[in-house]
Amino acid sequence: MTQSITPELRQWIIEQSTAGCLPESVLDAMVKAGWQAEVAERALEQTLRDHLQQIGAGRVVAPAPATSTVGARHAIGVAVPDLALAGSPRRVDAGDREVDVIVSMGQPRVVVLGGLLSDEECEALIAAARPRMARSLTVETTTGGEELNPNRTSNGMFFQRGESELIRRIEARIERLVQWPLENGEGLQVLNYQVGAEYKPHYDYFDPAEPGTPTILQRGGQRVGTVVIYLNEPVRGGGTTFPDVGLEVAPIRGNAVFFSYNRPHPSTLSLHGGAPVLEGEKWVATKWLREREFV
Ligand code: PD2
Ligand code: ZN
């Protein structure tokens, strides 16, 4: 008896997957409901591929075995940067130093890191950025240009990739840590938030529905990961929040939060923001990682 993919089945697969259900669980449920395993697998893959094409999310990759570390692949989505955390190590190798693993979360994929930069490196980065600060721009997805964004009240600047020994050292460390080519990274951005300044919750990926997005994607594809490094410590406030899961990462000098998103969709739960600074000021450096070489 041959079994065919009905519109109802397609709809059900998409609903399960966008709700965050792993493909293994979707397959399992289909087999339990009487589907031949092979047919179920084919239906799942084809349905998700078609769906991703419709929402403009790029190529589909098969789920990787649990032991895979480099370029972790997930249910429906592209390969993304990730740390080598199999076996739950206390520290991970970042080339010229070891970095503490403080928190590791699966969904959203978030890893909080301790001691990514030394105090001296944080100070040096602030000193190099300070004379070049201007009110932050964000990429305007309706046009593909840049504009002042009222949701972001910080000041900022971009370093060129590899522009100094310090920048090269930090970029090499991030490359090693998240196992992602440094060529895929945008230039390091430094932001400064004064009291009351914040970065309202947003996604770092570019919205596929916006008309300016195809232009933006020409320079290396989608963003698939972010590293936010804390360069100083505000007295109160200024944490990085993940509202979908009620997580707030404390801004501690030299620490960092890494998160990835394997498709440009809210079901990644990668919504995040910079909470208002209540006392003191906040300095961070952000590295955004693209699918391919950022040119
Ligand atoms: O400064 C932060 O905590 C923050 C929060 C959300 C930075 C970014 N997003 C970013 O640079 O994308
Ligand atoms: Zn962000």
Side-chain angles (χ1 to χ4, degrees):
M1 188 191 81
T2 52
Q3 297 176 314
S4 60
I5 314 172
T6 61
E8 291 75 24
L9 177 64
R10 290 173 58 83
Q11 183 63 29
W12 180 82
I13 289 174
I14 291 164
E15 277 168 14
Q16 299 303 302
S17 300
T18 52
C21 219
L22 291 172
E24 292 81 355
S25 317
V26 179
L27 265 181
D28 206 40
M30 289 172 73
V31 170
K32 283 204 178 95
W35 288 84
Q36 292 153 7
E38 243 173 59
V39 179
E41 211 167 304
R42 242 184 300 128
L44 181 65
E45 200 182 312
Q46 196 183 327
T47 303
L48 295 179
R49 178 170 291 125
D50 292 349
H51 179 62
L52 276 177
Q53 236 159 33
Q54 270 168 22
I55 66 169
R59 79 201 144 92
V60 181
V61 293
T67 50
S68 167
T69 52
V70 180
R73 288 143 197 263
H74 293 278
I76 44 165
V78 299
V80 293
D82 205 3
L83 291 91
L85 297 187
S88 303
R90 169 81 181 69
R91 293 196 179 84
V92 276
D93 179 22
D96 61 346
R97 65 158 53 202
E98 293 217 311
V99 173
D100 292 325
V101 181
I102 296 174
V103 171
S104 171
M105 183 181 252
Q107 232 191 340
R109 182 61 176 144
V110 175
V111 182
V112 181
L113 298 160
L116 178 59
L117 299 192
S118 69
D119 291 354
E120 294 70 32
E121 287 168 333
C122 291
E123 286 306 319
L125 209 48
I126 292 174
R130 196 186 289 277
R132 292 162 60 178
M133 301 299 280
R135 174 85 189 270
S136 292
L137 301 170
T138 46
V139 178
E140 175 46 57
T141 47
T142 53
T143 60
E146 284 194 315
E147 69 165 27
L148 272 179
N149 182 343
N151 290 326
R152 191 182 200 182
T153 46
S154 54
N155 292 311
M157 57 78 65
F158 276 96
F159 287 103
Q160 289 287 317
R161 210 169 51 213
E163 83 163 58
S164 69
E165 193 279 326
L166 174 64
I167 297 294
R168 285 193 294 276
R169 197 189 319 152
I170 294 169
E171 289 173 340
R173 213 173 275 165
I174 292 173
E175 173 180 56
R176 180 76 165 257
L177 195 64
V178 303
Q179 307 178 92
W180 204 248
L182 67 79
E183 293 78 17
N184 295 18
E186 298 180 30
L188 198 65
Q189 184 185 44
V190 171
L191 294 177
N192 172 240
Y193 304 74
Q194 296 290 327
V195 169
E198 66 181 313
Y199 196 170
K200 296 230 171 81
H202 60 276
Y203 299 98
D204 282 352
Y205 59 72
F206 302 107
D207 184 348
E210 291 289 349
T213 294
T215 307
I216 297 168
L217 298 188
Q218 281 171 12
R219 298 183 71 188
Q222 265 292 356
R223 286 179 177 160
V224 288
T226 306
V227 182
V228 177
I229 312 170
Y230 305 105
L231 304 178
N232 82 325
E233 291 173 18
V235 180
R236 290 189 302 122
T240 304
T241 60
F242 292 81
D244 289 340
V245 289
L247 174 66
E248 178 164 341
V249 179
I252 295 177
R253 182 160 72 167
N255 287 9
V257 59
F258 160 79
F259 51 100
S260 66
Y261 24 96
N262 66 355
R263 52 195 186 275
H265 194 272
S267 61
T268 54
L269 307 182
S270 64
L271 183 69
H272 64 285
V277 172
L278 302 174
E279 191 180 345
E281 63 172 336
K282 174 185 174 188
W283 288 84
V284 296
T286 299
K287 172 65 85 175
W288 286 297
L289 304 165
R290 299 287 189 107
E291 286 177 279
R292 296 181 290 281
E293 183 178 358
F294 179 71
V295 285

